[in-house]
C-alpha cells in the first residue's frame, strides 16, 4: 500500500518535469519534487557556446534517458514476474494444504449412508468451521497509506488539544499545574479485588472444564458400560459450572462489593469471554472424542494438552483449535506500541467524558419528556458517542487484541473487517467484531440450524440477535448498576429492522450514508439516555426500592421529584 | 486505486477458502466472500461412495486449479507487460515533447555572453515557469478508494443529522415544519447589485488590460521613436487602472452599499482574482513583445487573441498561457455533481453556523480578558472552525474549480496537493492552494529575486508572506465590516515562525501531528475571536467613531461597557 501510494505521489512529481536548461532555477519555495529533480539534473546543466555540441548533447541525453527507462522497465518486469510466480506458487500450495480433510477421509473404508448421516451429527465442524489464516489487521495495512495515517494523526492532535485546554483551565482554577485523574481513579477502583477475582475466575476456567472433559473422555473409551449416562452427568455438571461458577459467582462478587464501572467492565467482560471460551473448547472437542468412540482408529481419544487449552484461553479468538497459524518472532516494539495506544485511548476516553459528557449532563435539569431538550441532548451526544465508539473499537479490537496476538505469535489478525464501508447493518454486524461474530455464528446460529434440521432459519437469526442483545444489556446493567434497556431496544427494534431493510443486496453509497446516520444517531441516543439515567440514580437514590421500582428507569420519576422540590 | 483496493479485499476473501465437501454449508450470516465461493464451488459438490474416484476427482480438481492459475498468471503478465510498455513509451515521448525550447534555440546563431545575459532579462519565464499537465484532482483519485469515500459519507451523514435535528427543534418551537434560511438570505443579500458590480468589473478587466497591452505592443514595433517612454506611460496607466479601477471601485461599492458578508466575499474575492489575472496576462506577454522587438523574427509581435484572454479569465488558474492542455469532452454529469456539492457545502456551512457558532456566541457575555472563558471558547470553536476549513477547501478548491475546469475542458486539475499530509508549514502553504501559490511564487517571489539579482532570498519570502497576509486580512476586514487583524497576526507570527521551525527537513509523523494541532488551534482562535468581535460590533455600535476607535477591536472595549451596564 505504501508502495502504491508512493507511486501515485511520485508520478505526480514526475508529471512536472523541470527543464535542465536554466541553471538559475529557484526551488526554495517549490517543494520536494523540484529539489529531487535538481539533485538529479544538477550535474550536467551547462550551456556550451557551440550549437552543434548542444544538439549532440541533447540527443545523447535523450538516448541515455531512453536506455535508462528501458532498463528500469525490464528490471521492473523481472521483479514483478518473480513476485507473481512466488505468489501463485504459494497460493496453489496453500489451497492444496487447506484441503486436508477429504484426502484422509477417502482412504478410510467407505461408510453406509446411515453411518454417514449418523457420523455427520458427531463430526466436528472443522471442515466447515472457521479457517485460521495468517493475515494482518486491516488498520495495520491501511495505516501504511499516508492519507489514512494522517487521520490517525488528526485524532492525536485533538487529544493534545483536549489535554492542553484541560491543563490550562485547571491551572487557572487551582492556580497550579494539576494532573489528577479522579475519574480514572474512581472508575478503576478496588483494583486488588478485581485482580483476585480475575485470577480465581481464570484458574477455575482453566481447571474445571478441562478436568471435566478429560474425565468424560475416559468414560467414552468403551470400558464404561453407560457412556450416555456419563455424558449426561458430565454435561450437566459442566452446564452447572458455567451457570454458577462462571455465570453467577463473579457477578455476585461485583454486585456485593459494588465495583466502580471500569473494574466492573473488566470482570464482566472476562466472565463472558471465559464462558464463551469454555463452551468452544467443549464444543470443538466432544465431537472428536465421539467420532473416535465410534471408529476407534487409535488406542486412546485425542484429548488436547492442557498447554493447548491454556494457549487458547489467552489467544485472541473464541474458536478452539489445537493449533493456530503462528508467526516466527515476537516484535516487542509492536507490542509496546499497541499497549501504549490502549493507554492513550483510555486517557482519550477520560477527556471525552470529562470535557464533553460531564459538563453537559452534570448540570442538566433532567428533562426526559421535553422533546426539544431531548433532541438537542441526543444531537450534542453524537460527538462524544462517536468518539467513544471509535476509541473502543481502536483500543480493544485493534490494539489490545493485536498486542496479545503478537505476544502469543498468533498470526490470524482478522479481528474486524472494514465495517466502516458497510452498506447494510447485516454486514456491519458481521464485520465490526469478527471474534464474537464467529462464535455466535458457529456455536449459536449454525448449531441451532443443525439442531432444528435447518427448519427455522429466521428463528435462529432472531435467537442470535436476542442472545447478543441480552448479553450486551447484561454487561451494561451490571456495570452501571441500573437496568435501562436502551441498547437492548435499539438492538432489537432498529437493529433487527435495519438488518432486514439494509440487507446484503444494498450496495450503493446511499446505504453507507444511512448506515452512518443511524450509527451516529444510535450512539447519541445511548450516550444521552444512559448519562441521564446515571445522574438520576445519583440525584434520586431510593431508600427501600421494590423490584418494580428498581426496574423502572429513575430518570423518568426523578424528573417529577425534582419538579416537586422545585415547587417547594 | 479502486483496483488495488479491490485486490486487497479480494485477497481477504480468498484467504478464507471454504471446503466444498459439505454441501449443507450455510452462509446467510457469513457474507459476500462465502456467497461468491459457494456460487463457484456449488456445481461439483458431490460425495461419491467410492474412495478411489474421490481421490481422482480431487487430483483432477487440483490440476484444473493449477492450470487455471497458470493461465491467469500468463494473462495477467501479458496485460501488465503491454500496459507498462505503453506507459513507458508515452513517458519517453512526453519527456521529449516537453523539451521544445532548447532544440530550436540551438539552431539560432550563437549569441555572445553579453547578448545572452541581456536576453535573459526579457526572456518570458515559459521554460522555467509553471508547466501545465493534464492531471486529475487528488480527491477525485482518493474517492475511488472505498475507505476514503466512507469518510465523505460520514460527513454527509453528519449533515443529515444537522438538518434532522434542526427541523425537529424548529417544528417543536413553531408548531409547524419550517424551512427558513434567514441566515443564508441575509448573507447573500443585495444579489442584483452584486451581479451588476461583478459584470462591470469583469467587462472592465476583459477590455482595459487587453486594449492597453494591444496599444502598447504597437508602440514597440520600431516605428515609434520613444518606445521606453511609451512603456512607462502605458505601465503607469495599467497600474493606475489596477489600483483604482479594480482595486478601489468595487471596494467603494461594497462599503457604501454595506453589502452583507457573503455578497461581499463574492465581490472582493473576484476583485482579487481579476487583479491577479490581469497582472499575469501582462507579466507573461510583455517579455514576449520585448523579445520580438529585439529580434524581429516575425513581421508583427505575437499578441494573444481576445478569445485566449477571455478563456484565461474563466480558467481555474492564475498563470496566463496561450494554450492549456484540454480534455476532449465535457462530462456534464460531473459538472452537475460538483455544483451540487458546492450547494451542499453552503448549506452545511449554514448549519455549522446556526447550530455550532451562533448558540455559542450569541448569548455569551463577552469576556476577552477572562482567560478561562477564552480557553474554553477557543476549544469549543475548534469543531466549527475545522468544519468550515474543510468545507471551504472542498467547496472551493475541489468542487468549484473542478466544475469550471470541466466546463472549460481545462485538463490540469492540480488545484491543491495533499496538504493534509504536510509535515511542515512550508509544505502546507505550498500544497493548500496551488493556484494562488503558483501566482505568488512566480510573480512575487521569483520576480523579486530576479529584480534584486537574488540578493535577498529571506526578504523575498517575508514579502510574499506579508502580501498574502495583508490580502487575507483585507478580504476579511471588508467582508466583516471591521478591522481585527487576528488572521494577520497568526499568519505573520505563528505562520512565519512555523515556516522556519517546521521546514522541509521535518519528515516524521510527529511533525504532521504538530501541524494539525496548530491548525486546529488556529481555526479555533480565528472562529472564536472573529465571532466575539462580530457580536461586539452588533452590541456596542459607536455613534461618531474616530479612526482610532474604528481600528480598536470593539470586543475589548465592549466588555467594559457591558460590565458598566451590569453594574447599573
Amino acid at each position: 500500500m505504501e508502495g502504491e501510494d508512493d507511486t501515485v505521489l511520485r508520478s505526480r512529481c514526475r508529471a512536472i518535469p523541470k527543464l535542465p536548461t536554466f541553471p538559475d532555477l529557484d526551488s526554495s519555495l517549490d517543494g520536494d519534487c523540484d529539489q529531487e529533480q535538481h539533485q538529479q539534473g544538477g550535474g550536467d546543466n551547462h550551456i556550451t557556446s557551440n550549437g552543434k555540441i548542444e544538439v549532440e548533447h541533447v540527443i545523447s541525453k535523450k538516448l541515455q534517458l531512453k536506455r535508462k527507462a528501458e532498463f528500469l522497465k525490464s528490471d521492473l518486469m523481472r521483479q514483478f514476474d518473480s513476485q507473481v510466480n512466488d505468489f501463485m506458487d504459494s497460493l496453489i500450495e496453500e489451497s492444496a494444504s487447506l484441503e486436508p480433510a477429504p484426502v484422509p477421509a477417502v482412504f478410510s473404508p467407505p461408510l453406509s449412508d446411515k453411518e454417514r448421516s449418523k457420523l455427520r451429527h458427531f463430526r466436528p465442524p472443522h471442515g466447515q468451521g472457521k479457517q485460521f489464516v495468517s493475515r494482518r489487521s486491516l488498520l495495520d495495512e491501511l495505516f501504511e497509506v499516508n492519507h489514512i495515517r494522517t487521520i490517525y494523526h488528526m485524532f492525536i492532535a485533538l487529544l493534545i488539544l483536549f489535554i492542553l485546554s484541560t491543563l490550562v483551565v485547571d491551572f487557572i482554577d487551582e492556580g497550579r499545574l494539576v494532573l489528577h485523574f479522579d475519574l480514572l481513579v474512581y472508575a478503576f477502583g478496588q483494583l486488588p479485588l478485581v485482580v483476585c477475582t480475575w485470577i480465581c475466575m481464570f484458574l477455575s476456567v482453566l481447571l474445571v472444564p478441562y478436568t471435566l472433559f478429560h474425565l468424560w473422555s475416559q468414560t467414552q473409551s468403551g470400558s464404561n458400560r453407560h457412556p450416555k449416562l456419563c455424558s449426561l452427568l458430565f454435561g450437566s455438571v459442566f452446564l452447572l459450572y458455567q451457570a454458577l461458577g462462571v455465570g453467577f459467582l463473579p457477578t455476585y462478587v461485583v454486585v456485593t462489593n459494588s465495583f466502580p464501572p471500569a473494574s466492573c467492565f473488566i470482570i464482566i467482560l472476562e466472565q463472558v469471554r471465559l464462558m464463551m471460551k469454555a463452551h468452544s473448547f467443549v464444543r470443538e472437542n466432544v465431537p472428536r472424542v465421539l467420532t473416535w468412540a465410534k471408529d476407534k482408529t487409535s488406542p486412546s481419544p485425542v484429548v488436547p494438552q492442557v498447554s493447548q487449552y491454556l494457549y487458547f484461553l489467552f489467544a485472541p479468538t473464541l474458536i478452539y483449535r489445537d493449533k493456530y497459524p503462528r508467526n516466527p518472532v515476537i516484535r516487542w516494539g509492536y507490542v509496546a506500541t499497541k499497549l501504549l495506544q490502549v493507554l492513550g485511548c483510555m486517557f482519550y476516553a477520560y477527556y471525552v467524558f470529562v470535557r464533553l459528557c460531564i459538563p453537559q449532563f452534570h448540570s442538566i435539569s433532567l428533562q426526559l419528556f421535553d422533546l426539544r431538550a431531548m433532541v438537542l441532548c441526543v444531537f450534542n451526544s453524537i460527538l462524544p458517542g462517536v468518539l467513544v465508539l471509535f476509541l473502543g473499537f481502536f483500543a480493544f479490537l485493534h490494539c489490545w487484541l493485536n498486542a496479545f496476538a503478537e505476544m502469543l505469535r498468533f498470526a490470524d489478525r482478522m479481528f474486524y473487517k472494514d465495517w466502516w464501508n458497510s452498506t447494510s447493518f447485516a454486514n456491519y454486524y458481521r464485520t465490526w467484531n469478527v471474534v464474537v461474530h464467529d462464535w455466535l455464528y458457529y456455536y449459536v446460529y449454525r448449531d441451532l440450524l443443525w439442531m432444528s434440521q435447518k427448519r427455522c432459519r429466521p428463528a435462529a437469526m432472531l435467537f442470535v440477535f436476542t442472545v447478543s442483545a441480552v448479553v450486551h444489556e447484561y454487561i451494561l446493567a451490571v456495570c452501571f448498576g441500573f437496568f435501562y434497556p436502551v441498547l437492548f431496544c435499539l438492538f432489537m427494534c432498529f437493529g433487527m429492522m435495519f438488518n432486514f431493510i439494509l440487507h446484503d443486496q444494498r450496495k450503493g453509497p446511499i446505504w453507507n450514508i444511512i448506515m452512518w446516520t443511524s450509527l451516529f444517531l444510535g450512539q447519541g441516543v445511548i450516550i444521552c439516555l444512559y448519562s441521564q439515567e446515571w445522574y438520576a440514580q445519583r440525584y434520586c437514590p431510593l431508600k427501600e426500592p421494590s423490584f418494580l421500582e428498581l426496574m423502572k428507569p429513575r430518570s423518568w420519576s426523578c424528573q417529577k421529584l425534582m419538579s416537586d422540590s422545585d415547587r417547594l
Side-chain angles (χ1 to χ4, degrees), chain A:
Chain A
M1 280 270 185
E2 175 76 297
E4 292 157 16
D5 201 75
D6 271 349
T7 317
V8 174
L9 294 179
R10 233 174 285 137
S11 71
R12 296 191 140 254
C13 246
R14 199 192 296 125
I16 339 159
K18 288 273 171 177
L19 301 181
T21 33
F22 292 90
D24 55 345
L25 272 179
D26 193 38
S27 69
S28 64
L29 253 180
D30 206 21
D32 314 328
C33 297
D34 303 28
Q35 276 177 14
E36 255 172 48
Q37 283 160 8
H38 279 203
Q39 280 161 9
Q40 284 168 9
D44 38 16
N45 282 347
H46 53 86
I47 301 175
T48 58
S49 55
N50 189 324
K52 205 159 180 190
I53 292 178
E54 266 193 13
V55 182
E56 275 172 18
H57 179 65
V58 167
I59 291 174
S60 82
K61 270 203 78 174
K62 271 200 192 156
L63 283 175
Q64 261 181 23
L65 183 69
K66 202 179 163 106
R67 268 202 301 279
K68 203 166 175 182
E70 297 279 356
F71 174 74
L72 271 175
K73 182 185 127 186
S74 66
D75 196 43
L76 186 70
M77 291 306 297
R78 208 167 46 239
Q79 275 185 23
F80 179 76
D81 205 25
S82 82
Q83 273 180 13
V84 170
N85 241 329
D86 292 353
F87 173 69
M88 284 291 178
D89 290 348
S90 73
L91 195 70
I92 292 166
E93 263 179 50
E94 207 174 307
S95 70
S97 70
L98 276 170
E99 292 182 282
V103 181
V106 291
F107 289 109
S108 63
L111 303 164
S112 72
D113 272 13
K114 205 184 157 195
E115 277 179 315
R116 190 178 295 280
S117 80
K118 243 187 172 174
L119 191 59
R120 191 179 289 165
H121 287 268
F122 300 127
R123 193 185 294 216
H126 282 180
Q128 68 202 88
K130 184 177 168 71
Q131 297 289 335
F132 287 90
V133 181
S134 177
R135 54 195 155 187
R136 295 170 70 197
S137 279
L138 185 53
L139 277 189
D140 275 338
E141 276 173 5
L142 288 179
F143 280 154
E144 285 174 8
V145 181
N146 55 0
H147 304 291
I148 292 177
R149 208 172 42 233
T150 293
I151 298 168
Y152 172 62
H153 294 160
M154 286 165 69
F155 275 96
I156 297 179
L158 189 63
L159 174 60
I160 291 173
L161 289 173
F162 265 121
I163 296 174
L164 273 182
S165 67
T166 311
L167 276 183
V168 172
V169 169
D170 282 355
F171 184 79
I172 295 167
D173 284 351
E174 315 233 348
R176 62 195 169 79
L177 205 65
V178 265
L179 268 175
H180 49 64
F181 295 102
D182 21 0
L183 188 71
L184 279 183
V185 172
Y186 159 70
F188 284 95
Q190 296 188 298
L191 215 56
L193 198 57
V194 170
V195 173
C196 288
T197 316
W198 184 82
I199 290 175
C200 293
M201 202 160 64
F202 183 80
L203 284 179
S204 94
V205 173
L206 178 63
L207 298 176
V208 178
Y210 187 79
T211 317
L212 282 177
F213 173 73
H214 207 268
L215 292 174
W216 169 78
S217 72
Q218 283 168 353
T219 65
Q220 304 294 312
S221 61
S223 59
N224 191 307
R225 272 180 306 172
H226 304 291
K228 287 201 172 171
L229 194 74
C230 281
S231 296
L232 196 71
L233 188 76
F234 275 98
S236 311
V237 172
F238 176 68
L239 286 180
L240 206 71
Y241 166 73
Q242 286 272 63
L244 295 182
V246 197
F248 176 74
L249 265 182
T251 317
Y252 180 78
V253 172
V254 159
V255 171
T256 49
N257 290 286
S258 49
F259 276 17
S263 304
C264 207
F265 254 112
I266 295 173
I267 295 297
I268 299 294
L269 285 180
E270 280 296 295
Q271 174 196 42
V272 173
R273 183 179 76 96
L274 291 172
M275 208 183 249
M276 289 160 94
K277 291 235 179 196
H279 177 89
S280 171
F281 176 73
V282 170
R283 173 69 187 80
E284 295 283 339
N285 284 301
V286 163
R288 280 167 40 170
V289 173
L290 290 179
T291 313
W292 168 83
K294 288 273 154 196
D295 299 352
K296 296 258 167 46
T297 45
S298 58
S300 66
V302 196
V303 176
Q305 291 165 348
V306 71
S307 64
Q308 288 173 324
Y309 180 53
L310 183 65
Y311 182 85
F312 168 62
L313 284 184
F314 280 109
T317 175
L318 295 170
I319 309 275
Y320 176 79
R321 292 285 179 274
D322 287 343
K323 276 186 167 55
Y324 297 97
R326 302 283 286 273
N327 285 336
V329 286
I330 304 176
R331 295 167 296 163
W332 286 106
Y334 182 85
V335 176
T337 314
K338 293 294 142 190
L339 290 179
L340 275 178
Q341 282 173 333
V342 171
L343 202 73
C345 287
M346 229 162 64
F347 278 96
Y348 213 133
Y350 164 81
Y351 282 108
V352 169
F353 280 110
V354 165
R355 296 301 305 276
L356 299 179
C357 293
I358 294 180
Q360 191 187 342
F361 295 106
H362 196 264
S363 59
I364 205 171
S365 57
L366 302 152
Q367 299 161 302
L368 185 75
F369 299 107
D370 180 352
L371 190 61
R372 187 179 193 282
M374 271 304 284
V375 169
L376 290 179
C377 170
V378 166
F379 185 79
N380 291 330
S381 305
I382 286 175
L383 179 64
V386 170
L387 282 177
V388 165
L389 184 84
F390 287 172
L391 286 173
F393 165 73
F394 185 70
F396 179 67
L397 283 165
H398 181 69
C399 298
W400 184 258
L401 293 184
N402 262 306
F404 269 80
E406 187 69 35
M407 284 192 282
L408 294 165
R409 298 194 287 109
F410 186 86
D412 190 341
R413 307 285 175 87
M414 200 181 67
F415 309 125
Y416 54 89
K417 295 179 199 164
D418 56 337
W419 56 267
W420 47 87
N421 294 332
S422 298
T423 49
S424 68
F425 263 81
N427 190 51
Y428 172 75
Y429 293 134
R430 274 198 300 270
T431 50
W432 162 261
N433 185 341
V434 171
V435 183
V436 168
H437 168 263
D438 282 342
W439 192 91
L440 285 172
Y441 176 65
Y442 288 111
Y443 301 140
V444 182
Y445 181 70
R446 289 263 296 258
D447 282 356
L448 264 183
L449 281 190
W450 167 71
M451 279 191 278
S452 69
Q453 315 257 311
K454 301 190 169 232
R455 265 191 291 265
C456 37
R457 207 175 285 252
M461 203 189 268
L462 188 69
F463 186 75
V464 171
F465 255 86
T466 317
V467 165
S468 180
V470 166
V471 171
H472 276 89
E473 198 57 50
Y474 158 74
I475 294 170
L476 290 184
V478 174
C479 292
F480 292 150
F482 55 78
F483 177 71
Y484 193 20
V486 177
L487 187 62
F488 185 83
C489 293
L490 288 182
F491 225 85
M492 292 308 284
C493 303
F494 296 98
M496 281 298 282
M497 202 176 73
F498 277 127
N499 193 37
F500 289 106
I501 298 176
L502 295 183
H503 50 74
D504 280 330
Q505 270 73 55
R506 314 294 194 193
K507 291 283 175 212
I510 185 83
W511 300 105
N512 186 235
I513 295 173
I514 292 176
M515 197 281 286
W516 274 106
T517 310
S518 36
L519 201 64
F520 282 167
L521 207 60
Q523 285 302 115
V525 169
I526 287 171
I527 290 277
C528 173
L529 291 185
Y530 278 106
S531 298
Q532 282 191 344
E533 179 67 17
W534 175 268
Y535 280 107
Q537 295 272 342
R538 297 290 157 286
Y539 291 152
C540 313
L542 296 180
K543 259 134 222 172
E544 285 171 11
S546 68
F547 180 75
L548 202 74
E549 279 177 322
L550 274 179
M551 285 297 109
K552 194 176 160 200
R554 207 73 52 84
S555 49
W556 296 10
S557 50
C558 187
Q559 209 222 339
K560 282 177 202 156
L561 282 172
M562 287 189 80
S563 321
D564 285 337
S565 66
D566 282 353
R567 241 176 276 150
L568 289 175

